[in-house]
């Protein structure tokens, strides 16, 4: 008899369009794979997801890098749903527009958590060390909030990390998350 596996956390790609202050561990752990741009094939991911389902997995969490850079993301979501898994994803919100996001929801994405580190674009982008990512992230959150009306079971959440760059205005950030129409907010420190 095999032990039951509750959740599978996967990183289909390590590519990312940000260079966040807090991602140094990821870069150290996965440096060689990131430099070589290695990633598993869709067939390998299907096998892994199927094996996890066999072991009892009911939750599939997709992160990265930035998972929306993985070209077969919708297929991966469908594969998890084929086994009745709850599919969640962590993203920086760089998004790919409404039709792409709708495709993820149609594939069966149950929950997404978008990282948003400030209510001010310049602070968020400084933490991300990437220009214009705040605009993309807030647009993605707004688009998903709007699409959520068509997908009532879908849960839109945001996540922030308390750090020296944003702690003085964290109350305003919490209010901003609420105004964007999210269902919940995770705070880390």
């Amino acid at each position: 008899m095999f032990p039951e596996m509750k959740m599978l956390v996967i990183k289909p790609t390590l590519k990312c369009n940000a260079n966040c202050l807090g991602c140094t561990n990821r870069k150290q752990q996965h440096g060689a794979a990131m430099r070589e741009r290695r990633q598993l094939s869709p067939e390998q991911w299907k096998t892994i997801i199927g094996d996890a389902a066999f072991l009892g997995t009911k939750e599939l969490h997709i992160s990265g890098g930035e998972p929306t850079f993985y070209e077969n993301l919708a297929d991966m979501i469908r594969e998890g749903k084929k086994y009745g898994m709850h599919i969640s994803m962590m993203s920086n919100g760089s998004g790919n527009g409404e039709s792409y996001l709708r495709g993820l929801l149609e594939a069966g994405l149950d929950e997404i958590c978008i990282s948003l580190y400030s209510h001010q674009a310049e602070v968020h982008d400084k933490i991300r060390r990437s220009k214009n990512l705040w605009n993309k992230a807030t647009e993605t959150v707004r688009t998903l909030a709007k699409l959520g009306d068509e997908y009532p079971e879908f849960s839109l959440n945001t996540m922030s990390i308390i750090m020296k760059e944003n702690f003085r205005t964290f109350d305003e950030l919490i209010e901003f998350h609420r105004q964007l129409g999210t269902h919940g907010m995770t705070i880390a420190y």
Side-chain angles (χ1 to χ4, degrees), residues 1-187:
M1 178 166 203
F2 295 103
E4 187 177 37
M5 187 170 140
K6 305 274 186 200
M7 175 187 275
L8 175 64
V9 179
I10 60 173
K11 299 174 184 295
T13 184
L14 297 172
K15 294 178 195 173
C16 190
N17 56 337
N19 187 23
C20 300
L21 295 171
C23 283
T24 55
N25 287 341
R26 177 180 59 86
K27 291 172 189 169
Q28 289 172 352
Q29 289 176 334
H30 305 293
M34 291 171 70
R35 284 189 299 280
E36 297 169 19
R37 301 183 186 272
R38 288 183 288 183
Q39 61 185 34
L40 299 177
S41 71
E43 294 76 27
Q44 290 170 310
W45 282 118
K46 284 182 180 183
T47 299
I48 290 167
I49 292 168
D51 289 350
F54 176 76
L55 293 173
T57 299
K58 300 289 184 230
E59 295 183 49
L60 174 63
H61 181 74
I62 306 168
S63 68
E66 173 50 41
T68 59
F69 284 178
Y70 183 65
E71 61 187 48
N72 298 301
L73 183 58
D75 292 335
M76 180 178 282
I77 292 168
R78 276 189 281 280
E79 189 68 18
K81 291 311 276 185
K82 181 171 91 175
Y83 295 103
M85 293 179 184
H86 176 89
I87 314 293
S88 61
M89 186 172 85
M90 175 65 86
S91 172
N92 68 22
S94 52
N96 292 323
E98 183 174 337
S99 64
Y100 177 81
L101 296 168
R102 181 183 298 279
L104 297 180
L105 295 176
E106 288 175 0
L109 183 65
D110 294 299
E111 180 179 347
I112 193 167
C113 189
I114 305 289
S115 300
L116 194 58
Y117 298 141
S118 178
H119 67 290
Q120 300 168 314
E122 62 277 3
V123 175
H124 176 84
D125 289 351
K126 179 182 176 186
I127 293 168
R128 289 284 191 192
R129 295 191 281 195
S130 181
K131 292 183 180 183
N132 204 35
L133 202 49
W134 185 87
N135 288 329
K136 291 176 183 178
T138 55
E139 180 61 29
T140 296
V141 171
R142 287 184 179 106
T143 299
L144 287 167
K146 183 178 81 171
L147 288 171
D149 294 339
E150 299 172 40
Y151 300 87
E153 300 299 314
F154 173 70
S155 181
L156 170 61
N157 301 292
T158 49
M159 190 277 278
S160 291
I161 300 172
I162 299 173
M163 53 184 73
K164 67 180 180 179
E165 292 81 6
N166 67 3
F167 80 93
R168 284 180 172 56
T169 59
F170 218 76
D171 55 341
E172 295 166 80
L173 174 59
I174 292 169
E175 176 59 21
F176 183 63
H177 282 255
R178 189 191 64 73
Q179 289 173 2
L180 286 172
T182 62
H183 299 123
M185 179 182 179
T186 299
I187 300 172

